[in-house]
Amino acid sequence: MSLKEEIAEKRKDMIVDSYPMSIGEVMNLYKDGELDVHPEFQRFFRWDEEQKTKLIESILLGIPIPPIFVSQKINGRWDVIDGQQRLSTILQFLHVLKKDDGTQYDPLVLRATKFLPSLGGVCWDDETLFLPEQKIAFKREKLNFTIIKETGENDTSKFEMFQRLNTGGTHLSAQEIRNCLMIMINKQLYELMNELHNDTNFKECTPLTDTQAEERYDLELIVRYLLYVRFSDDYMREIDKSRSMDVFLTEELESYAQNEDNHLIQESKEKFPRIFALLHNTLGENVFKKYQDGKFKGPVMLACFESIIPGLFLNLDYWELHKEELLVERIKQIYTQEAFINATRRGTRALDRMSQLIQFSRVWFAYED
């Protein structure tokens, strides 16, 4: 197929429309349950009160704000794929925004700004500060919407659009984008990821920096766990190792969520607390730190995670029985093995390192008589 034909074919999959809608109409759609702004996303979008106030100020002053992208489902409902924070801020100001448990957010109280110092203390329900005629004018302000229309139940165009619109920005980390995708694609899998990351032994074994914690690196490790135990050795040998690791993890997780193997998911869920109880009882917070010069040192090292987890998953029963005699020494010896040294050489691409270490791990922790 030529480039011209490929473009024509793919354009058929993207049915897009655009039009303005008043804030009052948007509020009614939301109240009627016809607009999903994903309240669960609020834990990832970190706007403070000043940023929220600036958005409301922009609307009051007639300053254009970027268009909001939504996916129109087969049943006609709108699913917001970009603009969650803008819409959530507006709905919170209107005092109609609800949390994912159905309870209402506290009303948004605005701050004074350079251009509108009288905004300080203004909230929607206080008609002494925000007059009825000002409310009417605000609800008549227009927002621009771009609508991507889904063509079938398994249409994935909105997920692709979400990634393109959010990748490269400063407001979301790569893992936070994956978290949002999981909420959109397979909320049960996202809830499983959260359940696993709350495991006490896992937390003790993976001490994170403040930045890592804020960017949800703990959930990235959960994603890696779920994917690593799924990859076959043949698949590891065949993947394009020149790809970006972030893109690879996102695409693989999306595939995992859409084509879930219930047996593997159940096995992964059952083994996770056992693996981290075993690791915590043997080496605790040192387990994923490099062993060098007779001691464990440095931060949590991803190469250590990749060298330990896949092999333990396959041989967990054996290592639970032999943890006292062999496991600590087996982990210490990882860092002198030629396979580990070769995989972690400077200049080795992240996917190539991952592939080599997963295969190494399965051999290194294999069952022994």
Side-chain angles (χ1 to χ4, degrees):
M1 187 181 292
S2 69
L3 176 59
K4 180 180 178 180
E5 291 169 328
E6 288 177 354
I7 292 172
E9 186 67 25
K10 285 301 177 183
R11 284 184 70 93
K12 292 178 185 177
D13 296 336
M14 298 294 289
I15 303 174
V16 180
D17 198 2
S18 299
Y19 54 82
M21 180 176 287
S22 74
I23 287 174
E25 291 174 300
V26 173
M27 179 177 68
N28 289 333
L29 281 178
Y30 176 75
K31 290 168 74 173
D32 291 342
E34 297 175 18
L35 174 67
D36 188 353
V37 298
H38 293 291
E40 312 96 319
F41 285 13
Q42 297 311 307
R43 70 196 72 174
F44 309 121
F45 292 89
R46 297 180 290 271
W47 272 19
D48 57 28
E49 300 306 302
E50 183 176 352
Q51 289 170 300
K52 292 178 181 180
T53 294
K54 284 183 177 178
L55 176 72
I56 302 301
E57 179 193 43
S58 294
I59 295 170
L60 292 171
L61 294 176
I63 298 171
I65 64 173
I68 293 163
F69 287 75
V70 298
S71 171
Q72 181 170 302
K73 299 181 179 180
I74 299 299
N75 62 11
R77 291 185 62 192
W78 282 4
D79 194 11
V80 181
I81 56 177
D82 185 68
Q84 285 91 354
Q85 188 61 68
R86 277 168 276 152
L87 275 181
S88 294
T89 296
I90 293 167
L91 293 169
Q92 186 184 1
F93 179 60
L94 293 167
H95 202 192
V96 295
L97 182 65
K98 291 184 178 180
K99 302 176 184 178
D100 53 350
D101 63 4
T103 60
Q104 210 164 41
Y105 276 92
D106 291 335
L108 176 60
V109 180
L110 303 179
R111 296 185 175 188
T113 68
K114 177 182 177 181
F115 296 112
L116 298 176
S118 296
L119 270 187
V122 166
C123 68
W124 185 260
D125 295 330
D126 188 342
E127 293 192 353
T128 64
L129 294 175
F130 203 64
L131 303 176
E133 56 266 34
Q134 291 174 314
K135 288 185 177 183
I136 292 171
F138 185 83
K139 288 193 290 186
R140 287 178 178 168
E141 290 291 337
K142 301 283 188 178
L143 301 175
N144 291 311
F145 283 83
T146 297
I147 302 99
I148 297 98
K149 297 180 180 179
E150 295 184 22
T151 58
E153 292 297 333
N154 296 318
D155 189 347
T156 62
S157 58
K158 69 176 179 182
F159 310 133
E160 176 67 24
M161 185 66 71
F162 179 86
Q163 291 179 67
R164 287 173 185 254
L165 291 168
N166 285 280
T167 300
T170 58
H171 59 303
L172 288 183
S173 68
Q175 182 53 44
E176 287 171 321
I177 290 174
R178 292 183 205 112
N179 295 340
C180 293
L181 282 170
M182 287 305 94
I183 292 171
M184 296 170 72
I185 300 171
N186 187 331
K187 192 172 180 180
Q188 287 185 323
L189 181 57
Y190 173 73
E191 289 170 347
L192 171 61
M193 288 162 53
N194 264 312
E195 178 184 338
L196 297 183
H197 114 278
N198 283 324
D199 182 90
T200 302
N201 290 316
F202 168 72
K203 289 180 178 295
E204 292 290 335
C205 289
T206 55
L208 304 179
T209 66
D210 291 342
T211 299
Q212 287 174 324
E214 184 178 346
E215 294 181 351
R216 304 315 307 270
Y217 187 65
D218 50 353
L219 281 178
E220 179 174 322
L221 291 176
I222 302 295
V223 168
R224 289 175 180 271
Y225 164 79
L226 292 171
L227 294 179
Y228 289 176
V229 303
R230 175 181 184 236
F231 295 148
S232 68
D233 286 343
D234 286 343
Y235 179 72
M236 285 287 88
R237 286 188 284 268
E238 293 169 1
I239 61 172
D240 176 3
K241 299 178 178 64
S242 66
R243 295 166 65 194
S244 154
M245 177 61 82
D246 278 342
V247 171
F248 173 80
L249 290 176
T250 300
E251 291 180 350
E252 289 296 328
L253 183 61
E254 185 179 332
S255 173
Y256 186 99
Q258 292 173 337
N259 306 283
E260 57 186 292
D261 179 336
N262 290 327
H263 174 74
L264 178 59
I265 288 177
Q266 188 57 40
E267 184 182 10
S268 301
K269 179 180 179 180
E270 184 270 329
K271 284 188 174 180
F272 186 89
R274 292 170 55 196
I275 288 172
F276 283 95
L278 172 62
L279 293 175
H280 181 251
N281 290 338
T282 52
L283 286 169
E285 67 174 18
N286 289 321
V287 65
F288 299 122
K289 296 178 180 180
K290 189 171 184 179
Y291 185 75
Q292 195 172 30
D293 301 326
K295 60 182 179 180
F296 291 96
K297 54 187 177 182
V300 169
M301 187 177 175
L302 185 55
C304 307
F305 189 88
E306 292 169 336
S307 300
I308 295 170
I309 293 300
L312 275 189
F313 182 87
L314 287 181
N315 303 281
L316 184 56
D317 291 342
Y318 171 80
W319 289 105
E320 283 178 324
L321 291 174
H322 296 79
K323 59 177 181 254
E324 296 298 331
E325 309 95 286
L326 299 174
L327 185 56
V328 172
E329 286 306 312
R330 182 55 60 98
I331 291 174
K332 287 180 178 179
Q333 292 168 18
I334 284 174
Y335 308 102
T336 61
Q337 302 307 301
E338 185 177 358
F340 179 88
I341 294 170
N342 289 338
T344 55
R345 287 187 194 282
R346 185 183 297 275
T348 303
R349 291 181 178 271
L351 268 176
D352 195 6
R353 184 207 67 224
M354 178 201 74
S355 172
Q356 292 182 52
L357 291 181
I358 288 176
Q359 293 173 79
F360 161 70
S361 178
R362 290 170 177 164
V363 172
W364 187 244
F365 289 97
Y367 176 84
E368 295 181 354
D369 287 322

